[in-house]
């Protein structure tokens, strides 16, 4: 498998047991660096990498470029002679740098005709594989054109750099006198900055500057950056525009990639002496790029800005501006957007902007499931071949629901296009379970694919056997297929089993509650409704003491079962945002029957909710807005269940 160095990634395993007795194991990952001949040098990892789980999570920038052998060793604790191991090979590749000519990668700035213009990709470029950008590793070549009038000067298709004395008769140079150019940092990183002296550029003209950067050691590694500069007669300050959350702004040449389901949160920095500021105003433009008839983007002011202020747009008169996703979802035909900020000072007006292009989701693929019917222990195969995206496919996520799509739950996630799952039971009457696959690219754009509904039955024999053995503390409990699956330590499998079993136990709990209420037991004495649930109707019937005994017996039985299940979920490794969503969904369903949560279960679940919340917070700037929202919703439901315990 291949991953970029800036990517977090995880390697999961599936431990299958074929033995009686204790299923306790010790697991240990080793990582070896590979050469063309062998994989012999073991890597010592820092404490951030947990190597004693069945799953291995590698944070970004942990491994250097190269090929590695990742080996999982598993030993049975009660029988150390029973051991097994399995390996996977991973290649770590370069992500590619972001070439920024000005601070924050701002798309457009204004300068005065007598002001110097500093373009400094050696300082402002970004290397996502490293903590800082090393300007000495690159060669720099600069180009310029008069925007919306000419192409970049070239001879027979070969571009002429800004300091090239040759002339393209059809596309004139930006400069009549090249003595107005000063290249900086000539010793350590030659030409890593360029200053265009005041008076070199024409008044009331817009210029597009481009930098081409080539790696000194490997010429196949390249990057290109752009900025538009409008020249005015005044002396404006330089305003930089950037994204509050960097993952929402993925650079794509002249634009930033934008997912239409994502809000845009921008901030500005006034560089220099920014006194006597009178006002700030944001303008929104929609763009059209007809490359067959023009060499520039035409921008048209979005007319309804005032109409949607504080509805779609927030902070239109401040340095921090937000446009919510409804702007893009209601205008899907528009693929280009510009967010322009105008700073008005006493003596000048400064204008800057950041340009966006809608990130297109994966296309051309399909998804299917086989077989079309089974039980909660049946292994279903999901196949999603032929999906394509220019950014590459990141992962596939499976969601399921019975009748209410708003209640859909994550069932599995996988980086592979074909994977196997076990599904919860379908609708009580039809047995049907609805399924949708989310195909996501590396820039977090998603295509949703509905696949055939499947018929999934409960497996009463296995479920009842599990309940009986838990209640009776049976020594043969490890023979139960559900226990062996729960012991696999694979978070997809464990999550699927917890969701399936919780769904069944919650239905049993509801039936037991309805039966108790119908026998005269006051609902307020035996249950606290979950947040958002319907109010229980109390019927005035004389209290039936035997019914109360039956109710408590069933209640304690299911409480013991939930107490048994919780540790399987609590002991999983927390990896990606998908991991948080799946584990949170499982916890939310495990804790749904609040009157069946023991003190032990409450402590475990409460701590786990906190750990998942902390993990979500720590990766907030590296995950999509949708994933953060989905995980937050599930964690909120889990916390609500805990707080509702009586």
């Amino acid at each position: 498998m291949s991953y970029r160095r800036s990517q977090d990634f995880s390697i999961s395993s599936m431990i299958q047991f074929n033995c009686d007795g204790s299923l306790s194991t010790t697991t240990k990952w080793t990582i070896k660096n590979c050469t063309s001949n062998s994989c012999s040098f073991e890597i010592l990892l820092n404490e951030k990498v947990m190597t004693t789980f069945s799953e291995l999570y590698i944070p970004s920038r942990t491994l250097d470029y190269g090929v590695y052998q990742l080996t999982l060793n598993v030993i049975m604790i009660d029988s150390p002679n029973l051991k097994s191991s399995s390996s996977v090979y991973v290649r770590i590749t370069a992500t590619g740098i972001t070439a920024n000519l000005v601070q924050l990668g701002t798309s457009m700035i204004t300068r005065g005709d007598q002001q110097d213009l500093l373009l400094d990709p050696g300082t402002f470029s970004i290397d996502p594989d490293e903590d800082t950008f090393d300007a000495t590793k690159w060669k720099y070549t600069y180009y310029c054109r008069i925007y919306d009038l000419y192409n970049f000067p070239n001879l027979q298709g070969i571009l002429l750099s800004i300091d090239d004395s040759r002339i393209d008769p059809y596309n004139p140079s930006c400069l009549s006198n090249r003595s107005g150019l000063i290249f900086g940092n000539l010793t350590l990183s030659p030409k890593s900055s360029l200053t265009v002296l005041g008076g070199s550029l024409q008044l009331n003209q817009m210029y597009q500057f481009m930098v081409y950067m080539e790696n000194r050691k490997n010429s196949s590694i390249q990057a290109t950056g752009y900025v538009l500069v409008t020249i005015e007669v005044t002396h404006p300050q330089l305003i930089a525009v950037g994204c509050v959350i960097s993952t929402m702004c993925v650079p794509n040449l002249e634009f930033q990639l934008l997912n239409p389901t994502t809000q845009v949160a921008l901030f500005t920095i006034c560089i220099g002496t920014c006194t006597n500021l009178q006002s700030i105003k944001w303008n929104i433009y929609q763009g059209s790029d007809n490359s067959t008839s023009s060499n520039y983007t035409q921008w048209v002011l979005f007319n309804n800005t005032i109409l949607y202020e504080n509805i779609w747009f927030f902070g239109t008169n401040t340095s921090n501006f937000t446009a919510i996703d409804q702007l893009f979802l209601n205008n899907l035909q528009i693929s280009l957007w510009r967010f322009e900020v105008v700073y008005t000072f006493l003596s000048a007006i400064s204008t800057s902007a950041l340009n966006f292009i809608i990130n297109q989701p994966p296309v051309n693929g399909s998804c299917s499931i086989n077989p079309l019917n089974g039980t909660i222990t049946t292994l279903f195969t999901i196949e999603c071949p032929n999906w394509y995206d220019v950014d590459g496919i990141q992962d596939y996520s499976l969601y399921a629901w019975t009748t209410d799509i708003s209640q859909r739950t994550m069932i599995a996630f996988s980086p592979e296009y074909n994977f196997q799952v076990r599904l919860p039971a379908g609708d009580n009457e039809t047995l049907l379970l609805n399924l949708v696959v989310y195909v996501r690219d590396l820039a977090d754009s998603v295509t949703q694919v509905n696949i055939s509904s499947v018929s999934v039955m409960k497996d009463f024999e296995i479920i009842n056997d599990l309940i009986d053995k838990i209640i009776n503390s049976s020594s043969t409990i490890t023979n139960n297929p559900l226990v062996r699956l729960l012991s696999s330590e694979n978070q997809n499998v464990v999550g699927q089993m917890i969701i399936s079993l919780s769904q069944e136990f919650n239905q049993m709990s509801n039936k037991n509650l309805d039966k108790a209420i119908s026998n005269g037991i006051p609902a307020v004495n035996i249950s606290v409704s979950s947040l958002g649930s319907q109010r229980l109707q109390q019927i005035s019937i004389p209290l039936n003491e035997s019914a109360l005994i039956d109710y408590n017996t069933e209640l304690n039985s299911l409480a013991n079962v939930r107490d048994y299940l919780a540790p399987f979920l609590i002991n999983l490794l927390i990896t990606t945002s998908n991991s948080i969503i799946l584990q949170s969904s499982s916890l939310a369903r495990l804790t749904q029957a609040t009157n069946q949560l023991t003190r032990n279960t409450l402590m475990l679940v409460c701590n786990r909710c906190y750990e998942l919340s902390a993990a979500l917070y720590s990766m907030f700037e590296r995950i999509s807005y949708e994933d953060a929202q989905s995980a937050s919703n599930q964690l909120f439901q889990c916390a609500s269940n805990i707080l509702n315990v009586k």
Side-chain angles (χ1 to χ4, degrees), residues 110-114 202-205 230-236 349-351:
T110 52
R111 300 301 284 159
D113 63 328
Q114 298 303 314
Q202 299 178 32
L203 186 63
N204 298 324
Q205 197 68 267
T230 301
I231 303 300
E232 298 181 349
V233 71
T234 58
H235 198 85
I349 295 177
S350 297
T351 303

Side-chain angles (χ1 to χ4, degrees), residues 134 136-139 214-221:
D134 188 348
T136 64
K137 293 181 178 180
W138 301 86
K139 299 177 183 178
E214 183 179 289
N215 189 275
R216 292 183 178 277
K217 291 184 177 180
N218 187 347
S219 61
S220 65
I221 302 177

Side-chain angles (χ1 to χ4, degrees), residues 386-403:
N386 303 322
W387 286 97
Y388 170 79
D389 191 279
V390 66
D391 302 307
I393 304 299
Q394 179 168 262
D395 56 38
Y396 304 81
S397 305
L398 178 69
Y399 286 75
W401 73 97
T402 52
T403 56

Side-chain angles (χ1 to χ4, degrees), residues 614-631:
L616 178 64
Y617 180 79
S618 69
M619 66 175 66
F620 186 73
E621 291 195 358
R622 307 194 309 276
I623 65 174
S624 69
Y625 176 76
E626 295 77 12
D627 281 358
Q629 189 176 48
S630 179

Side-chain angles (χ1 to χ4, degrees), residues 175-182 197 200:
L175 307 172
S176 58
N177 184 0
R178 290 172 179 80
S179 62
L181 300 176
I182 299 177
L197 297 178
S200 301

Side-chain angles (χ1 to χ4, degrees), residues 46 144 167 170 176 192 239 258 306 418 473 499 521 534 628:
N46 60 43
C144 178
I167 296 175
Y170 303 103
S176 58
S192 65
I239 309 298
L258 170 67
I306 297 177
N418 60 337
S473 302
I499 289 172
I521 302 174
Q534 293 183 344

Side-chain angles (χ1 to χ4, degrees), residues 152-160 166-171:
F152 286 103
N154 70 93
L155 290 178
Q156 296 180 340
I158 299 176
L159 294 180
L160 301 179
R166 292 176 292 175
I167 296 175
D168 176 358
Y170 303 103
N171 299 290

Side-chain angles (χ1 to χ4, degrees), residues 94-360:
T95 304
I97 66 166
T98 299
N100 290 332
L101 285 159
V102 294
Q103 197 165 345
L104 304 180
T106 307
S107 302
M108 184 190 75
I109 60 173
T110 52
R111 300 301 284 159
D113 63 328
Q114 298 303 314
Q115 285 179 297
D116 293 346
L117 170 64
L118 174 63
L119 306 175
D120 193 356
T123 298
F124 299 130
S125 294
I126 298 171
D127 185 352
D129 290 344
E130 304 293 342
D131 292 328
T132 58
F133 177 75
D134 188 348
T136 64
K137 293 181 178 180
W138 301 86
K139 299 177 183 178
Y140 306 82
T141 309
Y142 299 88
Y143 304 90
C144 178
R145 67 166 174 149
I146 303 175
Y147 192 68
D148 76 17
L149 292 179
Y150 304 104
N151 292 317
F152 286 103
N154 70 93
L155 290 178
Q156 296 180 340
I158 299 176
L159 294 180
L160 301 179
S161 63
I162 195 171
D163 55 335
D164 196 316
S165 60
R166 292 176 292 175
I167 296 175
D168 176 358
Y170 303 103
N171 299 290
S173 171
C174 295
L175 307 172
S176 58
N177 184 0
R178 290 172 179 80
S179 62
L181 300 176
I182 299 177
F183 293 100
N185 302 320
L186 295 179
T187 304
L188 294 177
S189 50
K191 295 189 175 183
S192 65
S193 70
L194 169 65
T195 299
V196 182
L197 297 178
S200 301
L201 300 173
Q202 299 178 32
L203 186 63
N204 298 324
Q205 197 68 267
M206 180 180 288
Y207 297 89
Q208 183 175 44
F209 290 88
M210 175 177 72
V211 63
Y212 169 78
M213 298 167 60
E214 183 179 289
N215 189 275
R216 292 183 178 277
K217 291 184 177 180
N218 187 347
S219 61
S220 65
I221 302 177
Q222 307 157 357
T224 306
Y226 297 85
V227 67
L228 291 171
V229 181
T230 301
I231 303 300
E232 298 181 349
V233 71
T234 58
H235 198 85
Q237 300 299 326
L238 179 60
I239 309 298
V241 184
C243 281
V244 174
I245 300 176
S246 58
T247 53
M248 293 185 182
C249 290
V250 180
N252 183 7
L253 297 179
E254 301 175 58
F255 300 92
Q256 310 285 330
L257 283 179
L258 170 67
N259 293 318
T261 55
T262 301
Q263 67 176 5
V264 171
L266 305 177
F267 73 102
T268 59
I269 300 175
C270 186
I271 301 167
T273 305
C274 301
T275 57
N276 299 319
L277 176 63
Q278 301 297 296
S279 67
I280 300 174
K281 181 184 179 183
W282 287 87
N283 298 314
I284 297 92
Y285 294 85
Q286 58 192 58
S288 60
D289 183 12
N290 188 352
S291 57
T292 60
S293 61
S294 65
N295 56 6
Y296 67 98
T297 301
Q298 295 177 320
W299 296 102
V300 178
L301 187 66
F302 185 76
N303 291 326
N304 296 325
T305 304
I306 297 177
L307 179 64
Y308 289 105
E309 189 167 355
N310 295 324
I311 300 174
W312 287 358
F313 309 118
F314 299 87
T316 54
N317 299 113
T318 70
S319 61
N320 292 280
F321 171 80
T322 300
I324 69 169
D325 56 359
Q326 289 302 312
L327 169 65
F328 315 113
L329 294 174
N330 283 271
N331 297 278
L332 290 174
Q333 75 282 3
I334 302 171
S335 60
L336 300 177
W337 293 91
R338 166 178 284 180
F339 297 92
E340 176 190 77
V341 64
V342 180
Y343 272 60
T344 302
F345 299 91
L346 276 177
S347 58
I349 295 177
S350 297
T351 303
S352 295
L354 202 58
N355 298 338
F356 289 85
I357 184 170
I358 297 297
N359 180 29
Q360 298 303 314

